[in-house]
Amino acid sequence: MLLYLFKRIILMIPLLIGITIISFAVIHLAPGKPTDMSTMMNPKASLEAKKRLEQLYGLDKPLHIQYWNWFKRLVVLDFGRSFSPDRELVLNKIARRLPITILISVLSMVLIFIVAIPIGILSATRRNSLFDKITTVFVFIGFATPTFWLALLMMILFGVNLGWLPISGLKSLEYENFTFWGQIWDRTAHLIMPVLLSAFGGLAGMSRYMRSNMLEVIRQDYITTARAKGVSERMVIYKHALRNALMPVITILGLSVPGLIGGSVIFESIFAIPGMGQLFYSSVMSRDYPVVMGGLVIGAILTLAGNLLADISYALADPRIREGRS
Amino acid sequence: MRPGNLTQDFLRRFMENKLALLGGALVLALFVVSFLAPWLAPHNPNYIDVKAILIGPSSNHLFGTDHLGRDVLSRMIWGSRISLKVGFVAVGIATLIGVVLGALAGYYGGLVDSSIMRFVDLMLCFPAFFLILAVIAILEPSIWNIMIVIGVTGWMGVARLVRAEFLTLKTREFVQAARVLGASDLRIIFVHILPNALAPVLVSATLGVAGAILTESALSFLGIGVQPPTPSWGNILTAGKDNISIAWWLSLYPGLAILITVLGYNLLGEGVRDALDPRLKE
């Protein structure tokens, strides 16, 4: 197991290097320079000042040297400083916001798991029943629904018309005055809509995926064997079939990480949640290149971490891989 | 089997599938609406009427007016052109890149294959939306740039698909026959193998159009896609968000239009897939 883990991590190193090259190339191969924003906006900036600024950021050197300098700092987790007036360290900026996005992503993964799996099992075991047909319709509509639109509709319904849920931020203004339980409820209420929406796209996909997995597994010989030797249908479905149908789900959960993180841009900016997605979006809008590059790298690393976690869980769950520990 | 039979089989299976037909009809409707926009739109989509700001749906303005008094229905009708264009151009770019890289990887194998596929793995590491935003940050937000960026960040699935097709097709006898006859690699790839691999590409392109429309609307909604005054379904929704507590119609209708269009492309794509290969249908 440890050896397996070690191999997986070693294989990630070339990918990590590739990630840094692409993140760097995206920003630097484009026309215009990162300093254009601050010099063009300022009519007093002379040609000389412009040169000085470029020198400060090392933009006067050839591209591969710039990359190498940036990469050397990355290795020790130095992402540089933000272009914003406070000149904060990019790493601090991201570290402050990342936990919020990860919290919402994990909560929505849990939600996807506990809602979509039973739906998938039920529609597979009762194939072509009314339940199956209704969920199929919902799945198709779910695939076609723009999440940000659903967010607007939910804000109108639950936030504006009914007034049940808050529509922005992570806590209320008068949060400090609440009792302990009041504070807990306040936090929860602020998370309900973002988590639901972040999970929404995955719900449709996962229930569909679970349904076809289940249908596939039920057709296998070992299920026929189990039935033939007189195992009850409940046992066949929930023990023999389910265990095998769940295996690929682990991988899919791992693969859903980039989607969840990418999606955070949309619902975090709608609900004004100070997470990674909102940071990335606002840095893009203000052309804060160090933060954009840092965000790209961190986003891709999280994806790799998600895949690694999925691989580990898969290995733990599948005896064929687990046995290889010796 | 003669090719005519295959086509007839395909058409018969497609016509029997009610959902696929519904999808086809919805996509056709999008085409009709965007081609006939100048005649269908009841008002000038950019006419600003300060006396009719944020008026709810009425007989004069079926879907109400926006914060500048413009007719929402007319803006939606003109906005359908954006969705149509984005779907075609973005997916066209993605398909072109995916087909060429996938074909090269599958046909040549070895080092070519492994370097192309490692690049695919690498591109898939990035949250797609982050990558798109980063590129758009540098380029000016415009409809063309949006389409190019969505295309350039969305070809990986096609490449994997085409590669898999090529891996099986290149061992077939007709390919060997072509090689014996002295056909060049390029000719074998594009004239002999590719036409046989196009069916699944078509399906994934149709489904890809749905994804591209969703991405464009999200970008325009965030204000980095199609720029006003050009109407797009996404940027009408931005106004919906800004006026969320007073003008529900600004949020409801454009989103419904996106949903219906995307649903149409998805149903059409799945219908084509099932009709091409009935075995795939569980």
Side-chain angles (χ1 to χ4, degrees):
Chain A
M1 185 67 205
L2 272 179
L3 187 73
Y4 169 80
L5 197 64
F6 185 68
K7 269 191 207 153
R8 290 280 320 157
I9 292 175
I10 293 291
L11 282 176
M12 277 184 178
I13 291 175
L15 272 181
L16 278 172
I17 294 174
I19 286 167
T20 61
I21 293 178
I22 292 191
S23 305
F24 183 83
V26 159
I27 303 295
H28 289 261
L29 292 183
K33 288 202 169 107
T35 46
D36 280 357
M37 264 310 247
S38 37
T39 48
M40 276 189 325
M41 290 292 166
N42 183 356
K44 282 192 218 138
S46 63
L47 204 63
E48 198 186 331
K50 217 168 142 179
K51 282 253 165 61
R52 257 208 318 274
L53 201 58
E54 280 172 18
Q55 231 161 25
L56 180 67
Y57 293 115
L59 292 171
D60 51 344
K61 301 197 180 69
L63 264 188
H64 62 275
I65 307 227
Q66 285 186 46
Y67 169 74
W68 181 238
N69 288 337
W70 180 66
F71 183 78
K72 271 192 301 196
R73 287 188 283 122
L74 265 195
V75 175
V76 289
L77 285 179
D78 177 5
F79 287 86
R81 282 174 189 280
S82 157
F83 281 176
S84 63
D86 57 5
R87 310 272 302 124
E88 201 186 348
L89 283 175
V90 173
L91 190 67
N92 290 355
K93 234 178 177 155
I94 292 178
R96 209 172 46 233
R97 281 151 173 271
L98 199 55
I100 297 166
T101 304
I102 291 183
L103 172 72
I104 293 177
S105 300
V106 169
L107 286 176
S108 54
M109 268 182 170
V110 172
L111 186 70
I112 291 174
F113 200 79
I114 57 179
V115 175
I117 302 296
I119 290 179
I121 298 172
L122 282 179
S123 32
T125 49
R126 299 179 192 175
R127 204 174 159 195
N128 294 330
S129 64
L130 186 64
F131 178 80
D132 185 26
K133 283 185 181 138
I134 292 175
T135 48
T136 305
V137 170
F138 269 105
V139 164
F140 265 100
I141 294 178
F143 274 136
T145 307
T147 319
F148 61 93
W149 175 62
L150 194 65
L152 290 184
L153 294 188
M154 285 178 71
M155 280 165 99
I156 293 178
L157 181 64
F158 297 113
V160 178
N161 288 351
L162 296 172
W164 290 352
L165 294 171
I167 57 172
S168 83
L170 281 173
K171 54 182 185 187
S172 307
L173 282 174
E174 58 271 33
Y175 179 78
E176 306 302 333
N177 304 331
F178 291 160
T179 60
F180 175 72
W181 290 109
Q183 288 188 343
I184 295 221
W185 164 246
D186 190 57
R187 293 255 176 194
T188 316
H190 278 87
L191 281 176
I192 291 177
M193 281 204 279
V195 170
L196 275 178
L197 285 157
S198 159
F200 182 76
L203 279 178
M206 187 61 92
S207 54
R208 195 77 189 155
Y209 188 73
M210 189 62 203
R211 176 179 181 271
S212 58
N213 268 349
M214 205 61 187
L215 286 175
E216 183 66 34
V217 167
I218 288 175
R219 236 179 297 175
Q220 300 295 319
D221 288 343
Y222 55 81
I223 296 298
T224 317
T225 311
R227 284 192 178 133
K229 67 178 187 186
V231 178
S232 72
E233 188 62 22
R234 264 186 83 86
M235 278 292 273
V236 171
I237 297 297
Y238 290 100
K239 195 154 179 218
H240 297 246
L242 184 57
R243 282 189 173 189
N244 289 288
L246 273 179
M247 293 295 294
V249 169
I250 301 175
T251 313
I252 294 293
L253 274 182
L255 290 179
S256 66
V257 172
L260 285 171
I261 296 179
S264 71
V265 173
I266 296 172
F267 65 79
E268 282 178 10
S269 59
I270 294 179
F271 290 108
I273 291 172
M276 179 79 184
Q278 198 206 38
L279 173 70
F280 195 78
Y281 173 67
S282 59
S283 321
V284 161
M285 295 306 270
S286 59
R287 308 209 170 192
D288 192 343
Y289 290 96
V291 182
V292 173
M293 279 156 75
L296 274 177
V297 173
I298 298 275
I301 289 178
L302 285 177
T303 307
L304 279 182
N307 292 350
L308 182 68
L309 269 179
D311 280 346
I312 295 172
S313 330
Y314 201 100
L316 287 176
D318 188 338
R320 280 167 300 187
I321 302 180
R322 195 175 51 208
E323 299 288 278
R325 97 176 72 187
S326 55
Chain B
M1 224 189 299
R2 284 182 295 119
N5 285 342
L6 282 175
T7 319
Q8 277 167 14
D9 278 358
F10 169 77
L11 280 178
R12 184 179 48 76
R13 280 195 295 264
F14 188 80
M15 299 306 266
E16 278 171 4
N17 184 345
K18 286 197 198 88
L19 282 176
L21 286 179
L22 174 66
L26 292 175
V27 171
L28 190 69
L30 174 73
F31 274 79
V32 172
V33 168
S34 47
F35 280 116
L36 299 183
W39 295 277
L40 283 178
H43 296 270
N44 177 340
N46 291 325
Y47 178 71
I48 296 173
D49 184 356
V50 286
K51 285 181 299 227
I53 285 172
L54 291 175
I55 291 181
S58 65
S59 54
N60 188 24
H61 299 285
L62 276 182
F63 289 176
T65 63
D66 69 2
H67 56 297
L68 295 174
R70 296 173 296 194
D71 181 54
V72 172
L73 176 62
S74 307
R75 289 184 73 71
M76 280 171 57
I77 290 174
W78 281 89
S80 68
R81 294 192 159 187
I82 300 285
S83 297
L84 192 71
K85 248 192 258 176
V86 165
F88 270 87
V89 179
V91 171
I93 294 171
T95 308
L96 192 72
I97 302 176
V99 163
V100 170
L101 289 182
L104 292 177
Y107 184 79
Y108 287 107
L111 192 64
V112 178
D113 183 27
S114 48
S115 24
I116 291 178
M117 292 332 277
R118 286 303 77 73
F119 186 55
V120 167
D121 291 344
L122 189 58
M123 288 292 288
L124 286 172
C125 283
F126 289 97
F129 215 76
F130 270 32
L131 208 53
I132 293 174
L133 281 181
V135 178
I136 296 201
I138 302 159
L139 305 170
E140 289 299 306
S142 80
I143 166 97
W144 290 104
N145 284 338
I146 294 289
M147 295 191 286
I148 294 169
V149 174
I150 295 178
V152 170
T153 51
W155 53 271
M156 291 81 80
V158 185
R160 282 187 165 172
L161 195 77
V162 172
R163 171 180 176 269
E165 290 288 317
F166 266 65
L167 283 180
T168 51
L169 287 170
K170 74 172 178 188
T171 59
R172 294 281 194 79
E173 280 161 1
F174 69 88
V175 176
Q176 286 169 11
R179 200 171 290 139
V180 171
L181 287 173
S184 66
D185 280 354
L186 277 184
R187 191 176 163 80
I188 294 177
I189 291 177
F190 290 105
V191 180
H192 294 280
I193 305 185
L194 191 57
N196 290 290
L198 276 186
V201 173
L202 187 73
V203 173
S204 101
T206 314
L207 298 174
V209 170
I213 291 175
L214 280 177
T215 308
E216 179 276 323
S217 63
L219 289 172
S220 297
F221 173 72
L222 289 174
I224 38 187
V226 177
Q227 300 296 304
T230 308
S232 92
W233 295 341
N235 69 26
I236 304 174
L237 283 168
T238 315
K241 186 196 166 218
D242 296 340
N243 301 288
I244 191 155
S245 49
I246 40 176
W248 55 269
W249 57 91
L250 273 178
S251 293
L252 182 65
Y253 297 118
L256 265 182
I258 300 172
L259 192 156
I260 291 170
T261 307
V262 172
L263 187 66
Y265 275 107
N266 278 340
L267 290 174
L268 181 67
E270 300 235 340
V272 171
R273 182 176 59 198
D274 292 345
L276 281 172
D277 189 353
R279 279 168 306 167
L280 287 178
K281 202 180 177 184
E282 293 145 353

